Amino acid sequence: MSIGSFIKKQFLDVLQWNEETEGVLAWRHPMEDYEIQNGATLVVRESQIAVFVDEGRIADVFGPGTHRLTTNTLPVLTNLKNWDKLFASPFKSDVYFFSTRVQTGRKWGTTQPVTIRDKDFDMIRVRAFGMYSYRIADPRLFFKEISGTRAAYTRDEVEDQLRGLMLATMANSLGASNIAFLDMAANQTLMAQQIRGDLAAAFARYGVGLDEFNVTSVSLPEELQAALDQRISAGMKASLGADKMGNFTQFQVASSIPLAAQNEGGLAGIGAGAGAGIAIGQAMAQGMSGAFAPPQAPAAQAAPAAPAPGGESIEDRLAKLNGLLDKGLISQADYDGTKAELLKKLIG
């Protein structure tokens, strides 16, 4: 070594990382034109780990505290460099600092629908979003598998890799589950628990610890959601008994009265319309009841059919209108207005 090169080199007495830049997970101490003085001080702050690397090989690892660098505190590096126990010369080694702070409030989501296997629907495509927290749990693995010898490795860079890992793990985890997707979608805590175990194991392979994981929303693509809504609606209607079906039909008739009042002619035809609606509802209820009831012997003679509602007289309509008022299905104002129109037609 020339005298000029020796003078140019500087000796480090203190090695530390102040984490001046937010979002940096791994940082290499600048070592160009520097050598570490024998007996130098290494300062490792809380939520940090320092790792000595000699020619790409991981040597000694230091946790939080203040450490004096000697052959006693650097046993692996001493062995790699074949130092005598009382070496006094400065030495050169790469020193990496890793932040072990928990990275909280990180968002995850499916940019595209993920296809998973489901016990009810066979194959479905879903979207999901949520939050997670993680930290560097094993700096050795993180150095080997992710950060490597780069001067710095940021949170954004590692999360780009974690997102792909999360989506693949989520699809496999939900697909292998015996729990129906609809059950998990209704209980997002259950879904998060199902995914978290597999995801924690996947993160651990890269030296990353998963602290928290939750699902905040789950949705199907619009076309699948529409098909699911139709299926749910059909199931709800099929589950109605004869009595409930009749009540449901009456409710629909009552709900249509305000709309009918806005149409031309007002409620003049409400008697016939309501009578027809209720008659249809009763027929549907009887039909459904008969469809699920055991077969019975045919009646001796069918009863004569009731006259069609369209042939009712004005007197009959007035009577039905009065019945609707008594049941609270129309207001007094609607009753008075319709009654006046019917009486006008009756008197001529």
Side-chain angles (χ1 to χ4, degrees), residues 20-334:
E20 297 173 350
T21 304
E22 178 66 23
V24 177
L25 299 181
W27 178 77
R28 185 181 66 203
H29 195 290
M31 296 301 297
E32 186 177 0
D33 296 327
Y34 282 92
E35 287 188 350
I36 302 172
Q37 185 73 33
N38 178 34
T41 300
L42 172 68
V43 179
V44 183
R45 291 175 169 79
E46 290 293 336
S47 73
Q48 289 182 356
I49 296 288
V51 177
F52 280 75
V53 177
D54 179 58
E55 297 180 357
R57 296 172 296 181
I58 294 177
D60 300 281
V61 179
F62 293 86
T66 300
H67 309 274
R68 186 169 180 267
L69 302 178
T70 66
T71 54
N72 291 330
T73 57
L74 294 167
V76 179
L77 193 61
T78 298
N79 182 63
L80 291 175
K81 290 185 174 293
N82 297 315
W83 287 331
D84 293 331
K85 291 186 177 180
L86 298 177
F87 83 101
S89 301
F91 65 95
K92 197 170 185 67
S93 174
D94 289 326
V95 182
Y96 292 86
F97 288 85
F98 296 87
S99 173
T100 59
R101 288 188 295 118
V102 177
Q103 307 298 314
T104 60
R106 313 312 299 166
K107 296 181 180 180
W108 67 270
T110 55
T111 54
Q112 298 294 331
V114 177
T115 302
I116 63 174
R117 187 177 299 277
D118 183 70
K119 62 182 296 185
D120 287 344
F121 299 97
D122 189 22
M123 300 291 289
I124 58 175
R125 293 183 298 123
V126 301
R127 294 179 183 271
F129 299 89
M131 307 283 287
Y132 71 107
S133 301
Y134 69 94
R135 58 187 172 82
I136 296 178
D138 188 337
R140 292 175 180 268
L141 271 178
F142 190 83
F143 175 82
K144 290 179 180 179
E145 302 294 339
I146 295 184
S147 62
T149 59
R150 295 176 55 177
Y153 203 85
T154 66
R155 182 174 58 199
D156 292 339
E157 290 174 307
V158 71
E159 288 177 7
D160 286 341
Q161 299 186 46
L162 293 181
R163 287 191 192 97
L165 185 63
M166 292 171 67
L167 297 183
T169 303
M170 183 184 76
N172 293 335
S173 179
L174 296 182
S177 172
N178 291 324
I179 303 174
F181 171 76
L182 288 182
D183 294 335
M184 284 192 289
N187 187 345
Q188 294 174 358
T189 301
L190 176 64
M191 176 179 283
Q193 291 174 350
Q194 179 69 28
I195 300 173
R196 179 174 178 172
D198 294 335
L199 191 58
F203 275 26
R205 292 196 296 269
Y206 299 93
V208 178
L210 180 65
D211 275 44
E212 296 290 339
F213 179 83
N214 61 66
V215 179
T216 57
S217 67
V218 181
S219 63
L220 296 170
E222 292 183 1
E223 62 274 14
L224 286 181
Q225 186 64 54
L228 180 60
D229 290 342
Q230 291 179 357
R231 174 173 173 173
I232 294 174
S233 177
M236 291 175 62
K237 291 178 181 178
S239 65
L240 292 176
D243 55 339
K244 293 182 179 179
M245 190 65 188
N247 294 337
F248 178 70
T249 305
Q250 291 181 11
F251 170 76
Q252 286 184 312
V253 173
S255 299
S256 66
I257 290 176
L259 296 176
Q262 299 174 9
N263 296 332
E264 185 177 356
L267 291 172
I270 193 63
I278 295 175
I280 292 173
Q282 291 173 346
M284 290 177 63
Q286 293 172 1
M288 291 182 66
S289 176
F292 295 100
Q296 299 179 0
Q301 184 176 359
E312 292 177 339
S313 64
I314 293 179
E315 291 85 354
D316 292 335
R317 292 189 180 185
L318 285 171
K320 287 188 175 181
L321 187 65
N322 186 61
L324 292 174
L325 177 64
D326 293 340
K327 294 179 180 179
L329 297 178
I330 60 174
S331 65
Q332 184 65 47
D334 291 333

